[in-house]
Amino acid sequence: NAGVTQTPKFQVLKTGQSMTLQCAQDMNHNSMYWYRQDPGMGLRLIYYSASEGTTDKGEVPNGYNVSRLNKREFSLRLESAAPSQTSVYFCASSPSSGSSDTQYFGPGTRLTVL
Amino acid sequence: AQSVTQLGSHVSVSEGALVLLRCNYSSSVPPYLFWYVQYPNQGLQLLLKYTSAATLVKGINGFEAEFKKSETSFHLTKPSAHMSDAAEYFCAVSAAGRRALTFGSGTRLQVQP
């Protein structure tokens, strides 16, 4: 039982390049989330998917797109990377989108945009 | 709207000393409150959560937190710090009817031998 897995672990991009961050969970959870973590700011929600087939914007969605490919997988795409998107990205999942549900986090992807 | 304030971005204690990490929240509806821990180069792991069943919540690794509505606080404590407790700790709030967690800015705990 791997929990939440993310690929890649590290990535360096040049400004304007595109890439997709992959996330998968094997806990049969309905809801999945993408966060970014910046120093001194905690985690901020980019997008979430309450259930398969639905996605919604979070606090900081600009410059990102997401795809809920199936129940297990939730990808985050940067179409044209900018230095402001340098951050650590975390994927999480929870059994449902209930407010009291525990979210389970992946190990993160450290992205640097030059 | 909901928000979380963690007082003290860095806290240093001696091994065996009391750990106290502070968290204050604001929420327009009854909140659910969480403490997560992040070890270096890892994802976040749930320590404990408050879901209105009991105001004193016990979590993993000897940590506990008390929900005080009158003070809008949810401080995290551990009676005796261990070297392995060195990590970053995040308080988060989720209000009924909302799907997203709002995180505080985190407190880095250092444990001195």
Side-chain angles (χ1 to χ4, degrees), chain A residues 26-62:
Chain A
D26 63 2
M27 296 176 282
N28 200 34
H29 286 172
N30 286 309
S31 300
M32 298 185 74
Y33 312 82
W34 277 105
Y35 292 89
R36 60 177 289 172
Q37 182 182 30
D38 301 297
M41 300 187 71
L43 278 73
R44 292 180 293 168
L45 184 67
I46 304 171
Y47 271 94
Y48 67 96
S49 170
S51 61
E52 188 178 353
T54 68
T55 60
D56 287 288
K57 295 179 180 179
E59 182 184 354
V60 288
N62 291 344

Side-chain angles (χ1 to χ4, degrees), chain A residues 8-102:
Chain A
K9 286 188 168 57
F10 301 94
Q11 184 71 49
V12 178
L13 294 178
K14 295 181 179 177
T15 297
Q17 287 185 316
S18 63
M19 79 160 297
T20 300
L21 281 64
Q22 306 287 353
C23 173
Q25 52 89 11
D26 63 2
M27 296 176 282
N28 200 34
H29 286 172
N30 286 309
S31 300
M32 298 185 74
Y33 312 82
W34 277 105
Y35 292 89
R36 60 177 289 172
Q37 182 182 30
D38 301 297
M41 300 187 71
L43 278 73
R44 292 180 293 168
L45 184 67
I46 304 171
Y47 271 94
Y48 67 96
S49 170
S51 61
E52 188 178 353
T54 68
T55 60
D56 287 288
K57 295 179 180 179
E59 182 184 354
V60 288
N62 291 344
Y64 305 95
N65 285 300
V66 290
S67 295
R68 182 75 183 266
L69 304 170
N70 47 54
K71 190 172 186 179
R72 289 187 65 248
E73 298 172 288
F74 189 39
S75 62
L76 178 72
R77 183 161 177 83
L78 287 69
E79 290 290 352
S80 179
S84 61
Q85 294 178 305
T86 293
S87 188
V88 182
Y89 291 85
F90 288 100
C91 178
S93 71
S94 62
S96 73
S97 58
S99 304
S100 64
D101 272 19
T102 298

Side-chain angles (χ1 to χ4, degrees), chain B residues 92-111:
Chain B
V93 64
S94 174
R98 291 182 62 90
R99 293 173 173 170
L101 284 174
T102 298
F103 283 86
S105 54
T107 298
R108 186 168 298 279
L109 176 66
Q110 189 175 25
V111 182

